[in-house]
Amino acid sequence: MTQEMQPWLPSEIARFETPAHHALVLTKAPHMVLLADLLAHHGGTLDARHVGWIVSGMLHVACYLEWAG
């Protein structure tokens, strides 16, 4: 299952702490976009079919992360 989910997860480059915050630096695959950027690109609205597909994918990732601990 880990091998199947790997393309959908960012990779950790570094992590560090400052006096006020924890920071995590990640890479992302070229096919990954910020949802805010996607929404802006489409003029502020998305077709419900696309929203369903996005939410379904996010639920799959959440399920895997829970399973993986």
Side-chain angles (χ1 to χ4, degrees), residues 1-66:
M1 188 178 296
T2 301
Q3 189 176 22
E4 286 292 320
M5 291 303 298
Q6 200 64 35
W8 299 101
L9 301 172
S11 301
E12 181 180 325
I13 295 174
R15 64 175 64 204
F16 56 91
E17 292 184 40
T18 67
H21 302 283
H22 296 274
L24 182 61
V25 181
L26 303 172
T27 61
K28 63 183 180 90
H31 70 274
M32 294 180 181
V33 297
L34 294 174
L35 290 177
D37 291 345
L38 180 67
L39 190 59
H41 178 76
H42 286 277
T45 61
L46 290 175
D47 185 280
R49 293 172 294 168
H50 300 305
V51 174
W53 176 79
I54 292 167
V55 171
S56 175
M58 292 171 64
L59 288 171
H60 284 109
V61 171
C63 181
Y64 165 74
L65 292 174
E66 183 176 352

